[in-house]
Amino acid sequence: MTGFEVRPIGHVSSSLTDRADAPKQADEGAPDAWLVLDEAVAEAAADVAAGDELVVITWLHEADRDVLVVHPRGDPARPPTGVFSTRSPARPNPLGLHTVRVLGTDGPTRIHIDALEAVDGTPVVDVKRALDPRPEER
C-alpha cells in the first residue's frame, strides 16, 4: 500500500529521557508531561481544557519495528506472544495510545497532562477526545 503520509503535529516534553527507565504503562509511576503542538494545529486544540480526558497517539520513534513476537513485559519466563496481542512498543508500526487527563494549558500549543510513559521528544501524531463510557457502563 502506498500513497499516505503521517505527519507529527508536535512532540512530548517529559522528564523521561531514557527509554529503559520509562515505565511500561502510565499507571506505573509515569510523570506528568506536556504536549507541545505545532502552531499550525493550534486552532484544533483551542478548546482543550483542564479536566478533559484525551487519547494521545504517538509515534514511538525509538521502538524496534522488526519485532513480531515478544515475551510480555520483557519477562523470558512468559511464553512468546505475537505483538498484536500485546501493548509492546516493539512492532511493525509503533503507535502509542495513551489515555490522559488534561491538567491545564499554556495556550493552545502547550497542554499539560497527567501520567505519560512516552520519553521526551516522542512525536505526537494525533489527539482525540476520549470516548464516554459505553451506555451500559454509565
PDB file of all heavy atoms in Angstrom, residues 42-50 52 105 108 129:
ATOM      1  N   ALA A  42      -2.723  24.816  16.248  1.00  0.00           N
ATOM      2  CA  ALA A  42      -3.188  25.475  17.474  1.00  0.00           C
ATOM      3  C   ALA A  42      -4.705  25.621  17.516  1.00  0.00           C
ATOM      4  O   ALA A  42      -5.334  25.392  18.552  1.00  0.00           O
ATOM      5  CB  ALA A  42      -2.524  26.841  17.622  1.00  0.00           C
ATOM      6  N   GLU A  43      -5.316  25.972  16.412  1.00  0.00           N
ATOM      7  CA  GLU A  43      -6.768  26.154  16.369  1.00  0.00           C
ATOM      8  C   GLU A  43      -7.510  24.863  16.733  1.00  0.00           C
ATOM      9  O   GLU A  43      -8.566  24.898  17.358  1.00  0.00           O
ATOM     10  CB  GLU A  43      -7.186  26.632  14.978  1.00  0.00           C
ATOM     11  CG  GLU A  43      -8.637  27.013  14.864  1.00  0.00           C
ATOM     12  CD  GLU A  43      -8.984  27.556  13.496  1.00  0.00           C
ATOM     13  OE1 GLU A  43      -8.106  27.619  12.604  1.00  0.00           O
ATOM     14  OE2 GLU A  43     -10.162  27.918  13.317  1.00  0.00           O
ATOM     15  N   ALA A  44      -6.938  23.716  16.388  1.00  0.00           N
ATOM     16  CA  ALA A  44      -7.571  22.427  16.675  1.00  0.00           C
ATOM     17  C   ALA A  44      -7.607  22.122  18.165  1.00  0.00           C
ATOM     18  O   ALA A  44      -8.445  21.342  18.627  1.00  0.00           O
ATOM     19  CB  ALA A  44      -6.840  21.310  15.933  1.00  0.00           C
ATOM     20  N   ALA A  45      -6.710  22.733  18.937  1.00  0.00           N
ATOM     21  CA  ALA A  45      -6.617  22.468  20.375  1.00  0.00           C
ATOM     22  C   ALA A  45      -7.128  23.629  21.221  1.00  0.00           C
ATOM     23  O   ALA A  45      -7.037  23.581  22.443  1.00  0.00           O
ATOM     24  CB  ALA A  45      -5.167  22.171  20.744  1.00  0.00           C
ATOM     25  N   ALA A  46      -7.700  24.637  20.595  1.00  0.00           N
ATOM     26  CA  ALA A  46      -8.077  25.859  21.305  1.00  0.00           C
ATOM     27  C   ALA A  46      -9.097  25.629  22.422  1.00  0.00           C
ATOM     28  O   ALA A  46      -9.110  26.373  23.399  1.00  0.00           O
ATOM     29  CB  ALA A  46      -8.612  26.896  20.317  1.00  0.00           C
ATOM     30  N   ASP A  47      -9.943  24.609  22.318  1.00  0.00           N
ATOM     31  CA  ASP A  47     -10.972  24.390  23.342  1.00  0.00           C
ATOM     32  C   ASP A  47     -10.639  23.251  24.301  1.00  0.00           C
ATOM     33  O   ASP A  47     -11.467  22.852  25.111  1.00  0.00           O
ATOM     34  CB  ASP A  47     -12.342  24.169  22.701  1.00  0.00           C
ATOM     35  CG  ASP A  47     -12.362  22.993  21.737  1.00  0.00           C
ATOM     36  OD1 ASP A  47     -11.289  22.473  21.393  1.00  0.00           O
ATOM     37  OD2 ASP A  47     -13.465  22.594  21.311  1.00  0.00           O
ATOM     38  N   VAL A  48      -9.417  22.733  24.263  1.00  0.00           N
ATOM     39  CA  VAL A  48      -8.992  21.722  25.227  1.00  0.00           C
ATOM     40  C   VAL A  48      -8.819  22.412  26.577  1.00  0.00           C
ATOM     41  O   VAL A  48      -8.209  23.479  26.658  1.00  0.00           O
ATOM     42  CB  VAL A  48      -7.680  21.042  24.776  1.00  0.00           C
ATOM     43  CG1 VAL A  48      -7.118  20.152  25.869  1.00  0.00           C
ATOM     44  CG2 VAL A  48      -7.909  20.245  23.492  1.00  0.00           C
ATOM     45  N   ALA A  49      -9.360  21.798  27.636  1.00  0.00           N
ATOM     46  CA  ALA A  49      -9.335  22.445  28.957  1.00  0.00           C
ATOM     47  C   ALA A  49      -9.007  21.450  30.055  1.00  0.00           C
ATOM     48  O   ALA A  49      -9.135  20.226  29.884  1.00  0.00           O
ATOM     49  CB  ALA A  49     -10.693  23.082  29.241  1.00  0.00           C
ATOM     50  N   ALA A  50      -8.585  21.982  31.198  1.00  0.00           N
ATOM     51  CA  ALA A  50      -8.291  21.150  32.372  1.00  0.00           C
ATOM     52  C   ALA A  50      -9.482  20.246  32.659  1.00  0.00           C
ATOM     53  O   ALA A  50     -10.632  20.669  32.580  1.00  0.00           O
ATOM     54  CB  ALA A  50      -7.978  22.032  33.573  1.00  0.00           C
ATOM     55  N   ASP A  52     -10.331  17.615  30.870  1.00  0.00           N
ATOM     56  CA  ASP A  52     -10.658  16.814  29.684  1.00  0.00           C
ATOM     57  C   ASP A  52      -9.855  15.529  29.695  1.00  0.00           C
ATOM     58  O   ASP A  52      -8.709  15.497  30.139  1.00  0.00           O
ATOM     59  CB  ASP A  52     -10.336  17.575  28.400  1.00  0.00           C
ATOM     60  CG  ASP A  52     -11.281  18.730  28.105  1.00  0.00           C
ATOM     61  OD1 ASP A  52     -12.320  18.847  28.782  1.00  0.00           O
ATOM     62  OD2 ASP A  52     -10.950  19.520  27.201  1.00  0.00           O
ATOM     63  N   THR A 105      -3.451  24.153  30.537  1.00  0.00           N
ATOM     64  CA  THR A 105      -2.836  24.526  29.271  1.00  0.00           C
ATOM     65  C   THR A 105      -2.043  25.816  29.452  1.00  0.00           C
ATOM     66  O   THR A 105      -2.281  26.585  30.381  1.00  0.00           O
ATOM     67  CB  THR A 105      -3.882  24.737  28.158  1.00  0.00           C
ATOM     68  OG1 THR A 105      -4.724  25.837  28.522  1.00  0.00           O
ATOM     69  CG2 THR A 105      -4.729  23.483  27.940  1.00  0.00           C
ATOM     70  N   PRO A 108      -2.947  27.265  23.381  1.00  0.00           N
ATOM     71  CA  PRO A 108      -3.411  26.062  22.671  1.00  0.00           C
ATOM     72  C   PRO A 108      -2.308  25.124  22.213  1.00  0.00           C
ATOM     73  O   PRO A 108      -2.589  23.995  21.837  1.00  0.00           O
ATOM     74  CB  PRO A 108      -4.177  26.636  21.479  1.00  0.00           C
ATOM     75  CG  PRO A 108      -3.587  27.980  21.259  1.00  0.00           C
ATOM     76  CD  PRO A 108      -3.183  28.484  22.623  1.00  0.00           C
ATOM     77  N   ARG A 129     -10.467  13.338  21.699  1.00  0.00           N
ATOM     78  CA  ARG A 129     -11.202  13.291  22.956  1.00  0.00           C
ATOM     79  C   ARG A 129     -11.515  11.826  23.247  1.00  0.00           C
ATOM     80  O   ARG A 129     -11.894  11.080  22.348  1.00  0.00           O
ATOM     81  CB  ARG A 129     -12.505  14.086  22.862  1.00  0.00           C
ATOM     82  CG  ARG A 129     -13.243  14.093  24.187  1.00  0.00           C
ATOM     83  CD  ARG A 129     -14.227  15.211  24.339  1.00  0.00           C
ATOM     84  NE  ARG A 129     -13.823  16.533  23.932  1.00  0.00           N
ATOM     85  CZ  ARG A 129     -13.137  17.396  24.684  1.00  0.00           C
ATOM     86  NH1 ARG A 129     -12.749  17.050  25.894  1.00  0.00           N
ATOM     87  NH2 ARG A 129     -12.846  18.580  24.227  1.00  0.00           N
TER      88      ARG A 129
END
